[in-house]
Amino acid sequence: MKKIDKKFKWNDLSVEKVEKKHDIRLVAKREGLVEEPCSKSNGSITEKEVIGEADKNLQENTENLREYLNEVEKNQNELSKYLKQNNFQPTVNNLDASLNSYENKKDLEMANIHNNWKIYKEEQDQFRKYHQIGREANFATTSKTIKSLGLIFVLFFIEVVLNGFMLQGALVGGPAEGIAVATSVAFLNCIASGLAGYYIFKKITHLEKNKKILWGFFAFLYTGFIVYLNSCLGAYRSKSEEIFQKQFGSDSIGQTLSSEKIQETLSSVITPWSSEVEFAFVGIILTFVGLLFAFISVLDGFYYNDTYPEYGNVGKKVNNYKKALESTNKHYVKDITVLEDNASKELNNKYIKIKDGLNFWDHNTNIIQKWFVIYVQKIDYTVRGVRHIINEYRSENSIVRKSEDPSFFNEKWDVTQDTKDPKKVFPDIAYHYMTDQEREDKVLKLSDDIDQKFKKAEDQIKVLQKQAIDKQKELHEKYSTY
């Protein structure tokens, strides 16, 4: 579907060349001297040769023009067929089919998610009823998980640095060994305590008395262990400082205890509550920091994913399917908007393309009209040229001959009326011939038809958009979790 940019050139009959080729004047005089053609003759050989030249020229030009116009006509047939079709309807039909398919797909998807939500919602209700819980679950979200783990690791890092600094002079290995011990203790105070808060302390809140007592016992043991560990560490740091003062005096910077002294110190701080141990300020700080961080970590693990065991996981499952429904609903709105926008863009692109096709049609129709007019002019030009040559021949012949001129000298040569009429010469192309007024009227009619079809398609898309929105609301209400 395109406009014809190819040009056609008519090869005009050259009067000068024909006259020169047949040497018209000389031949006319020569034939006149011998009384040729005779008075009773009805034709001249020379004239027939000239007319033959003209016929040959007309035939060649006509055939070449027919070939050119056939190409225009073929293209014009395609354009006419294209312009008469409703090229917008397939876009509307495709959108309708796409929306129906998408709506059915989302209906099944949301139905499946909603069924799973109902199952876990019933499980949550039964869980709440059995465990006598009257509140919603404080389940862990991604944000809460990041904050909870972030707090644990921040405490762990602070305690590693702080404990390593406080212990660096109290161990054989100095700062390196201080960091190693500090890391181990910090792991127990922060990470292990966080896990204990989640897996042990949380279960103290269990409804069943036996489980509450059992896990309460484990919580008591862990609490005692953490208190004892941090007390021993604080006692060790205090005892080491006391030995430093006795052994090195106030100038103890950069000094470390010997292996024997460390073993002796360790033996004396196994019982930090004994009278042998007097807590120094740094030892108290070390113990307090360890217990504080352990307490915070236990609370962090205890509150993470709800304070009642397993209730957070139950609530999280329900919430996951609730969020999945909300996400599916949001994607539904987004996806149908994309489908509708694409259909609207396609519709506008088709409108532009069809309008271009109408311009091509107008252009091609103008070519046919132009060449029908030019054809008549070219025929007339050829006839006048041949008549000029024949008249020149007859004039020269009449001057030299002694006998009467043949009667046909008074006749004017001409082509047949069918040859002059381009509609009869090119009958297949004549169907597409139009006057300027007819062409303008046809363009206006086609343009109006295109605009009406386009407007109708736009209205149909608006209806489909409303139906899609209504369907979205219907699915939202149908699978609501409220």
Side-chain angles (χ1 to χ4, degrees):
M1 188 184 71
K2 59 183 181 180
K3 67 179 180 179
I4 302 298
D5 293 321
K6 181 180 176 183
K7 305 296 182 181
F8 178 78
K9 183 177 180 181
W10 183 282
N11 185 22
D12 290 318
L13 178 72
S14 174
V15 174
E16 182 181 351
K17 287 182 179 180
V18 173
E19 287 180 340
K20 186 176 180 180
K21 177 181 178 182
H22 295 279
D23 203 354
I24 293 299
R25 291 188 178 185
L26 181 61
V27 170
K29 289 178 180 180
R30 187 170 60 238
E31 289 180 354
L33 289 173
V34 295
E35 305 298 327
E36 287 291 337
C38 67
S39 300
K40 294 182 180 181
S41 176
N42 59 1
S44 164
I45 294 175
T46 302
E47 287 186 13
K48 288 180 180 178
E49 288 177 352
V50 171
I51 292 170
E53 292 275 350
D55 286 341
K56 182 181 178 182
N57 175 267
L58 284 176
Q59 185 178 1
E60 288 178 353
N61 279 298
T62 301
E63 288 304 315
N64 290 335
L65 180 58
R66 178 178 285 109
E67 184 179 341
Y68 172 73
L69 290 178
N70 280 338
E71 184 179 348
V72 178
E73 188 253 351
K74 180 182 177 181
N75 191 263
Q76 204 66 338
N77 286 336
E78 293 177 1
L79 281 168
S80 296
K81 183 180 178 181
Y82 178 74
L83 293 173
K84 288 177 182 178
Q85 293 173 344
N86 189 343
N87 297 287
F88 304 114
Q89 196 59 43
T91 300
V92 177
N93 294 339
N94 290 337
L95 176 61
D96 189 21
S98 298
L99 287 174
N100 284 331
S101 176
Y102 186 80
E103 287 165 2
N104 292 333
K105 176 185 174 183
K106 286 301 174 183
D107 195 354
L108 290 173
E109 184 179 342
M110 293 178 75
N112 183 51
I113 296 173
H114 190 262
N115 286 336
N116 289 330
W117 175 82
K118 284 174 66 178
I119 291 171
Y120 286 109
K121 181 62 177 174
E122 290 174 1
E123 180 182 317
Q124 183 189 41
D125 292 340
Q126 291 176 358
F127 188 94
R128 291 173 62 178
K129 184 177 180 181
Y130 177 80
H131 293 276
Q132 300 179 13
I133 303 174
R135 58 177 176 79
E136 292 295 330
N138 184 22
F139 52 85
T141 61
T142 302
S143 176
K144 290 178 181 179
T145 300
I146 293 173
K147 290 178 181 178
S148 182
L149 292 178
L151 176 61
I152 293 291
F153 284 110
V154 167
L155 293 176
F156 173 75
F157 177 76
I158 293 174
E159 187 168 359
V160 166
V161 174
L162 189 60
N163 287 359
F165 174 76
M166 291 181 176
L167 290 170
Q168 60 179 338
L171 298 174
V172 176
E177 193 167 345
I179 291 294
V181 174
T183 301
S184 300
V185 175
F187 177 84
L188 291 172
N189 280 339
C190 299
I191 298 177
S193 293
L195 293 172
Y198 184 79
Y199 289 104
I200 298 176
F201 286 82
K202 189 190 298 287
K203 294 180 180 178
I204 297 175
T205 63
H206 203 282
L207 181 66
E208 296 178 15
K209 189 174 181 180
N210 292 336
K211 290 185 178 181
K212 184 181 292 189
I213 293 172
L214 175 63
W215 290 103
F217 175 71
F218 288 143
F220 175 76
L221 291 180
Y222 185 80
T223 302
F225 168 72
I226 288 296
V227 171
Y228 175 73
L229 175 68
N230 284 279
S231 297
C232 287
L233 190 64
Y236 176 77
R237 184 63 183 82
S238 299
K239 192 69 176 176
S240 299
E241 184 178 347
E242 180 183 339
I243 294 173
F244 263 97
Q245 292 293 330
K246 291 179 180 180
Q247 185 169 337
F248 301 109
S250 59
D251 187 18
S252 60
I253 299 175
Q255 304 293 335
T256 59
L257 297 177
S258 64
S259 178
E260 293 77 9
K261 282 292 183 181
I262 289 174
Q263 292 297 328
E264 180 183 339
T265 305
L266 286 173
S267 298
S268 63
V269 298
I270 292 176
T271 55
W273 54 83
S274 66
S275 58
E276 295 182 11
V277 179
E278 292 184 8
F279 278 86
F281 177 75
V282 176
I284 293 173
I285 294 298
L286 196 62
T287 301
F288 176 77
V289 169
L291 291 176
L292 177 63
F293 282 17
F295 176 72
I296 294 172
S297 299
V298 167
L299 287 179
D300 186 64
F302 177 76
Y303 282 103
Y304 176 72
N305 205 25
D306 204 87
T307 57
Y308 195 88
E310 298 303 321
Y311 187 42
N313 290 332
V314 173
K316 189 174 184 179
K317 291 177 182 178
V318 175
N319 185 71
N320 285 343
Y321 284 106
K322 180 180 178 180
K323 292 294 183 184
L325 277 174
E326 293 175 357
S327 176
T328 304
N329 193 54
K330 288 179 181 178
H331 278 93
Y332 180 101
V333 176
K334 181 180 178 181
D335 292 343
I336 62 173
T337 301
V338 171
L339 288 174
E340 291 160 357
D341 288 346
N342 289 340
S344 295
K345 289 178 182 177
E346 183 180 340
L347 208 63
N348 282 293
N349 290 336
K350 281 189 174 182
Y351 180 79
I352 295 171
K353 183 179 179 182
I354 294 170
K355 284 292 187 177
D356 287 341
L358 181 58
N359 291 332
F360 298 160
W361 181 91
D362 185 50
H363 172 80
N364 293 345
T365 303
N366 191 51
I367 288 177
I368 295 172
Q369 179 195 18
K370 181 185 76 173
W371 274 106
F372 271 38
V373 173
I374 292 175
Y375 176 81
V376 174
Q377 294 172 350
K378 294 298 183 183
I379 293 294
D380 181 64
Y381 175 83
T382 302
V383 170
R384 286 188 287 109
V386 172
R387 284 177 179 175
H388 172 79
I389 297 170
I390 289 174
N391 288 337
E392 190 170 320
Y393 168 82
R394 291 174 180 176
S395 176
E396 293 294 332
N397 187 278
S398 296
I399 292 172
V400 299
R401 70 184 296 127
K402 296 179 181 179
S403 60
E404 185 180 351
D405 293 342
S407 60
F408 74 86
F409 270 25
N410 297 318
E411 297 175 0
K412 288 185 177 181
W413 177 82
D414 203 352
V415 296
T416 64
Q417 287 300 317
D418 287 350
T419 303
K420 289 182 178 181
D421 189 355
K423 293 182 180 179
K424 293 182 178 180
V425 178
F426 310 107
D428 294 337
I429 295 96
Y431 173 78
H432 295 285
Y433 173 80
M434 294 181 186
T435 63
D436 286 339
Q437 186 61 49
E438 289 173 337
R439 180 165 55 85
E440 289 176 7
D441 291 342
K442 185 69 174 179
V443 168
L444 289 173
K445 183 178 179 182
L446 288 172
S447 180
D448 185 59
D449 183 59
I450 291 168
D451 290 341
Q452 287 182 10
K453 290 175 180 176
F454 177 71
K455 182 64 170 61
K456 181 180 178 182
E458 281 189 320
D459 291 340
Q460 288 176 319
I461 286 181
K462 288 179 181 178
V463 171
L464 292 177
Q465 287 174 333
K466 185 178 183 305
Q467 290 176 350
I469 293 172
D470 292 341
K471 183 65 176 179
Q472 183 269 330
K473 291 179 179 178
E474 177 188 331
L475 293 178
H476 180 65
E477 294 174 0
K478 183 178 179 181
Y479 301 115
S480 175
T481 58
Y482 298 100

